[in-house]
Amino acid sequence: MINVPRRLLRQLRIVFRHALRTSPRASIPAVVFRATPHGLTARAQTEEAAIEYHLPGKYSADEASVPGDLLVDCEHRSDDPVTIENQKDGQILASWRDGKTPLLMRYQTPEQSNVGEFPDCPERMAENVSPLISALRDASQTADPTTVRYALDYLELRGEAGSICATDGKQLLVQGGFTFPWEENVLLPRSTLFGCKELRPLTPVSIGKRDSWLTISMGPWRYYTKLGEDLRFPNTDDHLRSADSAGTRLNLTPTDAQFLAQSLPELPCIDEEYQPITLDMNGQIMLRVKGESQPTELVLTQSSRIGEPLCINTDRRYLARALRLGFREFTFFGPNVPTQCSDGSRQYVWAVLDPQSAIKPTSKAVRLASPTGDVETVKSATDHPQRKTEMKEATTDDKKPSGAAESPRRKKAAFSPVSTNGDLSSMIAEARTALREADGKLRALSAALAAS
């Protein structure tokens, strides 16, 4: 007889599904519970991965192999126990209480697994600080699960360098400062496990390798996964440049970074495939997107540019990801060269879009400035008439952006002034209201013109 808290069953169900890469509709493989005087262990495995959990405590010695469906049927957010018993007829009996109602379910004992022995823990494990797991999470989110040419659905763990590298062919993330007990480079399959909240707390964290298996110990959890063999991972070192060779640098203040991160999802987008945004660093630092009628501009009032003026056309999703990763310093090597961010131990690089398709400045743009304590500065940045801007390369061609539809000529709409004295949420709300009002007026005008 083994007693397992229902809350633990829920944790096991979530973590095991991520670790074993089981789809939501598929059943979790058989789970083995083993109780000893030193604690309770739960483990499950497939041919490619294995996971186990250890709960310290004193238990009567017993063992039960149960189907993964038991976790789904019995889980709950409470600590009420589920009693698991082996029956003489080979079945498994699970009993618990749902409030005051006693429940009882019978299960067939799973057939003996043919995936082999459970992996052994390596003799040598290197302890790392808990950011190793968040680094593996970020790397897994950078990898490409649909690739066929290169092993882009794997992470490269470089033993001698102590770094983690991941790429999907359009973006590259390199993170260093880790300790691995091997010297060569190994390929770890990307996994959603590293972003699973149910793993917490994660300290201490250690990692090791034995034969073709890699082991990561995270507090009470121990994860085993088969390493990639005979796979081709791209050479990413050629895509990293020295920041000293950058012609332009952009330093974002925390206030501007927060303003930009919150504003980007609210901006209009007429090209869902590439989601272009123009970063204009000719004078004021501003970002420009194209809407159905006129562009929208975000003015970063507190950030600064170092070096040459430059205009970059990029996919806003990579910019947003750089902000989520915590990068605040951006280096640019030209309008056609990938953008690079760094913070000492990490480097993030992504490809830019065609500079000839950059969105040109216009006096008709809807403007929104980041918060600042200098009211006069904000006013001059948001309420001035048409400004003259010299754009590098991206503004010398008057052709419309590739893939963009020609917009019909429409009457200039009047927008309500955007307040810069309130908080950021109110500013965004006012801007969205102004855009909706303008869109309504333009639609009414178009309908009137069509009817005339």
Side-chain angles (χ1 to χ4, degrees):
M1 179 185 298
I2 300 175
N3 290 321
V4 185
R6 297 183 68 185
R7 187 189 303 274
L8 176 58
L9 292 177
R10 181 177 181 275
Q11 288 181 298
L12 296 176
R13 190 263 303 171
I14 295 173
V15 174
F16 282 14
R17 192 177 292 282
H18 284 281
L20 304 178
R21 298 187 280 278
T22 306
S23 66
R25 296 184 179 181
S27 298
I28 299 174
V31 179
V32 177
F33 288 97
R34 181 173 298 154
T36 70
H38 304 290
L40 174 66
T41 300
R43 56 170 51 171
Q45 68 180 114
T46 64
E47 292 182 354
E48 301 296 328
I51 183 76
E52 67 179 349
Y53 175 88
H54 180 73
L55 179 66
K58 294 183 179 182
Y59 293 82
S60 299
D62 200 357
E63 182 174 322
S65 179
V66 304
D69 291 341
L70 183 146
L71 306 183
V72 179
D73 296 335
C74 304
E75 71 169 53
H76 198 269
R77 294 182 181 273
S78 71
D79 290 320
D80 296 337
V82 174
T83 301
I84 301 173
E85 299 179 80
N86 290 303
Q87 302 295 295
K88 293 182 180 180
D89 58 2
Q91 290 189 328
I92 299 294
L93 183 67
S95 58
W96 70 98
R97 300 186 69 88
D98 188 1
K100 296 182 179 180
T101 305
L103 298 175
L104 186 70
M105 291 194 70
R106 292 182 179 272
Y107 300 88
Q108 286 295 129
T109 301
E111 296 181 0
Q112 187 70 24
S113 174
N114 59 355
V115 297
E117 296 292 329
F118 199 84
D120 293 323
C121 185
E123 295 181 359
R124 184 184 177 194
M125 297 281 286
E127 187 168 336
N128 283 260
V129 293
S130 56
L132 171 63
I133 302 304
S134 59
L136 293 173
R137 175 202 64 203
D138 295 338
S140 293
Q141 293 172 354
T142 306
D144 181 6
T146 63
T147 185
V148 292
R149 182 179 177 185
Y150 289 99
L152 302 186
D153 55 339
Y154 283 75
L155 320 179
E156 187 177 55
L157 275 57
R158 302 174 174 179
E160 185 176 356
S163 62
I164 303 170
C165 178
T167 179
D168 63 0
K170 297 179 181 178
Q171 58 178 328
L172 166 65
L173 178 63
V174 179
Q175 306 168 90
F178 305 106
T179 302
F180 302 135
W182 60 81
E183 295 184 356
E184 70 275 21
N185 298 345
V186 301
L187 295 181
L188 169 69
R190 65 177 291 276
S191 176
T192 58
L193 172 69
F194 305 119
C196 184
K197 296 186 295 184
E198 300 296 327
L199 283 178
R200 300 187 180 98
L202 295 176
T203 53
V205 176
S206 57
I207 188 170
K209 183 173 71 73
R210 180 169 182 171
D211 299 327
S212 61
W213 289 86
L214 183 136
T215 303
I216 303 177
S217 180
M218 306 164 282
W221 304 91
R222 185 168 289 167
Y223 173 56
Y224 305 83
T225 183
K226 272 195 173 180
L227 295 169
E229 297 180 344
D230 300 324
L231 298 175
R232 186 182 179 190
F233 193 84
N235 181 8
T236 59
D237 292 337
D238 294 339
H239 298 283
L240 298 175
R241 295 169 176 258
S242 171
D244 296 336
S245 64
T248 307
R249 297 187 187 185
L250 172 63
N251 293 317
L252 292 181
T253 64
T255 300
D256 278 356
Q258 181 183 10
F259 166 78
L260 186 56
Q262 293 180 355
S263 301
L264 281 175
E266 306 294 336
L267 296 177
C269 181
I270 61 174
D271 186 350
E272 293 295 337
E273 182 178 0
Y274 295 105
Q275 299 194 16
I277 189 169
T278 296
L279 172 58
D280 188 346
M281 294 174 286
N282 291 272
Q284 288 181 312
I285 309 299
M286 72 172 56
L287 294 101
R288 190 177 300 114
V289 298
K290 188 174 182 59
E292 291 184 359
S293 54
Q294 64 263 80
T296 300
E297 295 178 336
L298 298 180
V299 182
L300 304 182
T301 61
Q302 300 185 33
S303 297
S304 60
R305 183 205 76 217
I306 301 175
E308 296 294 324
L310 186 63
C311 187
I312 294 292
N313 191 29
T314 184
D315 189 321
R316 71 186 72 184
R317 288 168 293 192
Y318 298 128
L319 175 59
R321 181 146 199 261
L323 295 173
R324 289 196 301 272
L325 289 170
F327 290 103
R328 298 296 179 261
E329 180 177 315
F330 299 76
T331 53
F332 306 93
F333 306 89
N336 281 308
V337 183
T339 298
Q340 183 170 310
C341 310
S342 62
D343 62 1
S345 63
R346 301 181 304 161
Q347 293 173 301
Y348 180 56
V349 182
W350 76 87
V352 297
L353 301 177
D354 181 8
Q356 299 300 325
S357 299
I359 305 168
K360 297 181 174 69
T362 173
S363 59
K364 299 180 181 180
V366 179
R367 311 195 74 188
L368 180 62
S370 62
T372 178
D374 188 348
V375 178
E376 293 300 322
T377 300
V378 176
K379 183 176 181 180
S380 64
T382 57
D383 298 337
H384 70 299
Q386 181 178 359
R387 64 185 181 93
K388 184 178 180 180
T389 304
E390 181 182 355
M391 299 181 69
K392 293 175 65 67
E393 294 190 37
T395 61
T396 58
D397 195 338
D398 291 331
K399 292 184 291 184
K400 66 184 181 67
S402 60
E406 182 90 16
S407 299
R409 299 184 63 181
R410 291 175 177 175
K411 183 178 179 180
K412 180 180 178 181
F415 290 89
S416 302
V418 178
S419 171
T420 56
N421 296 327
D423 57 20
L424 182 59
S425 60
S426 64
M427 294 168 63
I428 295 177
E430 290 181 23
R432 295 176 65 182
T433 301
L435 288 171
R436 286 196 296 268
E437 291 176 355
D439 184 66
K441 292 178 181 179
L442 290 172
R443 290 178 183 274
L445 177 60
S446 297
L449 292 173
S452 61

